[in-house]
Amino acid sequence: PEHLRTADTRSALSAVQVSAGSYAEAEAGYRQALGVLERELPPEHPRILTALRNLAALSVLQGQLDQAHHLLERADALAN
């Protein structure tokens, strides 16, 4: 579906923003993409897990370790 392509594009743009050091913009994009994926796919879908892990990695870069831990726990719970 088109929504999933939008999520993919948003995630790709966010990855570029991370590389450029634009963390706030990247976080907003990753969260938008995650929202679309959560609406369109079952909770345990690998794309949702990847989106959660992307947000966790960004959280580490931002020094938000508690948030990163929470996101990784959430991904782990969905995977099991």
Side-chain angles (χ1 to χ4, degrees), residues 32-55:
Q32 286 176 345
L34 177 60
V36 170
L37 295 172
E38 288 178 326
R39 285 189 299 278
E40 300 291 327
L41 299 171
E44 70 282 355
H45 196 282
R47 290 170 72 178
I48 292 175
L49 302 178
T50 298
L52 288 167
R53 290 179 182 128
N54 287 341
L55 268 171

Side-chain angles (χ1 to χ4, degrees), residues 4-6 10 12 19 24 28 47 55 60-61 70 75:
L4 295 178
R5 283 191 218 136
T6 301
R10 198 61 189 108
S19 296
R47 290 170 72 178
L55 268 171
V60 169
L61 289 173
H70 170 74

Side-chain angles (χ1 to χ4, degrees), residues 46-79:
R47 290 170 72 178
I48 292 175
L49 302 178
T50 298
L52 288 167
R53 290 179 182 128
N54 287 341
L55 268 171
L58 177 57
S59 295
V60 169
L61 289 173
Q62 293 173 305
Q64 300 171 348
L65 301 183
D66 287 340
Q67 180 173 299
H69 182 75
H70 170 74
L71 290 163
L72 291 174
E73 282 184 333
R74 193 170 149 205
D76 187 51
L78 292 173

